Amino acid sequence: MKKSIKMMSLFVAVLSLGITSCSKDDNVKEPEAESKIENVEIGSGNNGKGVIGRDFHLDMDVTAATRINSVQVSIEQRPGETYTKSWSFDITWDEFKGAKNTNVHKHFDIDKEAPEGVYDFIIRIVDENGTVIEETHSIELISLENLPVNPELYSLMLEKLGKGYLYILNRGFMIPGDKGYGEGDTLRSTVDIRNVKGDGVLYTVLIKKSAGHLPETAEDIDFSKVIVTDMREHKNMAELDYFTNYLALEGQVDHMPKELLIGGTTDNNSPDPNIIQGDKVWENGAYYFGVIYTNTTYNMSAHYYIELDITGF
């Protein structure tokens, strides 16, 4: 009886093969999906550098063959390189578990005990089926004292003209009970960036919180989502110094901070203002005011955001 069943099964299998062999397309096996790591940014502006003792930027898009189990990063010393001492770093994020694809945007501190040098920056994506994909990139760790520039926001004063200072860096909101602007108010900001030289660009911006857009470098700014309140550039600064939007630079005539009317039709982008329309049209709700500076000579950036409210629309 068992033998008869096996023979019948074999006959059915052969018959099935004979019937389906006429259609090659039906027998094409789909390739298995592969995990992918794409659009990797290592360091501010993707400069491949980490400042010892400071915040470090990582951004990438990850697609898993099945589902993500974990995302891991290691920084490991390279054979053949010379370091003052042994050091390594590992971090694992489990928050992406179960996602098929995701953007990984992370900030973490580079240990102040890390020695300078060139390291392997290793990204590992572990799938739910146990598959591991790995990419190795180069990263240079630099101490603060050896940086060519070290852009930092030194001061910020956000003014509501005729009503006082709305916000001052390190002191918070100043007008009692007021944390925003209404239609018809005028915004003006004064900004200092220190420890810069060479060429650089500074933007101050308003962005709807709902836009989910917080650029960290000038290159990352999506002007379809950003209202520019001021924009300034410096060129060929020979020595480390402060850069401001309220002191005249050599050859600069218009050096006063620019004013922006809340509810106006254009912003203060330079040289050509942008029309405030589409995704960035004025509306009631939570906004971010941001400062974004990028030193284009040394590819180093700094950014700072506060949340405020816009009303009257």
Side-chain angles (χ1 to χ4, degrees), residues 41-49 55-59 105 107 151 200-205 207 213-223 226 228 290-296 298-305:
E41 291 182 8
I42 297 173
S44 175
N46 197 26
N47 62 7
K49 301 182 187 300
D55 174 83
F56 179 81
H57 162 91
L58 170 66
D59 194 274
H105 183 175
H107 286 259
V201 58
L202 168 71
Y203 287 92
T204 58
V205 298
I207 312 172
H213 180 57
L214 293 176
E216 299 178 8
T217 70
E219 186 179 48
D220 291 337
I221 297 174
D222 182 346
F223 290 98
V226 166
V228 177
V291 178
I292 306 148
Y293 169 83
T294 293
N295 190 283
T296 52
Y298 297 99
N299 196 15
M300 298 285 288
S301 296
H303 65 278
Y304 183 82
Y305 287 94

Side-chain angles (χ1 to χ4, degrees), residues 36 132 177 179 186 201 221 251 275 282:
K36 293 185 294 185
V132 179
K179 292 188 177 181
T186 298
V201 58
I221 297 174
I275 298 173
W282 296 106

Side-chain angles (χ1 to χ4, degrees), residues 20-280:
T20 58
S21 63
C22 296
S23 177
K24 293 182 179 179
D25 291 342
D26 291 342
N27 273 335
V28 174
K29 185 179 180 180
E30 292 293 328
E32 292 185 6
E34 295 182 355
S35 298
K36 293 185 294 185
I37 305 170
E38 299 176 299
N39 305 318
V40 180
E41 291 182 8
I42 297 173
S44 175
N46 197 26
N47 62 7
K49 301 182 187 300
V51 181
I52 295 169
R54 287 285 185 85
D55 174 83
F56 179 81
H57 162 91
L58 170 66
D59 194 274
M60 58 185 172
D61 295 322
V62 174
T63 302
T66 55
R67 300 278 178 182
I68 296 170
N69 185 56
S70 65
V71 177
Q72 304 172 0
V73 162
S74 298
I75 302 176
E76 299 178 4
Q77 293 177 334
R78 290 178 164 182
E81 294 283 346
T82 301
Y83 308 91
T84 58
K85 60 182 175 181
S86 296
W87 179 85
S88 62
F89 173 85
D90 292 281
I91 190 168
T92 299
W93 297 290
D94 297 321
E95 66 202 72
F96 306 104
K97 183 177 178 63
K100 174 66 178 174
N101 53 71
T102 189
N103 173 257
V104 177
H105 183 175
K106 284 293 180 181
H107 286 259
F108 53 88
D109 290 339
I110 300 295
D111 184 357
K112 64 182 180 180
E113 300 301 321
E116 288 189 313
V118 178
Y119 292 75
D120 284 334
F121 188 91
I122 304 167
I123 302 168
R124 297 184 185 91
I125 308 301
V126 182
D127 212 331
E128 284 187 342
N129 64 7
T131 302
V132 179
I133 62 167
E134 185 175 289
E135 283 190 5
T136 300
H137 300 261
S138 176
I139 182 176
E140 182 181 8
L141 299 188
I142 308 172
S143 61
L144 282 171
E145 56 267 27
N146 289 329
L147 288 174
V149 296
N150 180 24
E152 294 180 295
L153 180 63
Y154 176 70
S155 72
L156 165 64
M157 293 189 292
L158 190 56
E159 190 176 359
K160 184 183 289 190
L161 286 188
K163 300 180 181 179
Y165 286 98
L166 182 72
Y167 179 88
I168 298 179
L169 184 66
N170 297 325
R171 295 180 64 186
F173 286 91
M174 303 300 296
I175 303 175
D178 192 349
K179 292 188 177 181
Y181 291 86
E183 183 180 14
D185 286 334
T186 298
L187 180 155
R188 183 169 68 185
S189 64
T190 54
V191 180
D192 287 278
I193 305 293
R194 65 181 176 183
N195 301 325
V196 298
K197 64 180 179 178
D199 299 350
V201 58
L202 168 71
Y203 287 92
T204 58
V205 298
L206 282 173
I207 312 172
K208 292 177 185 177
K209 187 175 182 179
S210 60
H213 180 57
L214 293 176
E216 299 178 8
T217 70
E219 186 179 48
D220 291 337
I221 297 174
D222 182 346
F223 290 98
S224 70
K225 298 177 181 178
V226 166
I227 297 171
V228 177
T229 66
D230 206 346
M231 179 271 184
R232 303 299 170 102
E233 293 182 280
H234 64 83
K235 299 284 187 183
N236 302 316
M237 288 177 62
E239 303 292 336
L240 283 177
D241 206 344
Y242 290 82
F243 173 56
T244 79
N245 69 334
Y246 60 89
L247 293 178
L249 299 176
E250 184 177 351
Q252 187 178 31
V253 177
D254 178 19
H255 63 272
M256 292 300 293
K258 296 179 181 177
E259 300 174 2
L260 181 79
L261 176 66
I262 305 299
T265 57
T266 58
D267 70 6
N268 287 329
N269 197 31
S270 180
D272 300 314
N274 295 310
I275 298 173
I276 300 174
Q277 61 183 357
D279 290 340
K280 58 185 181 182

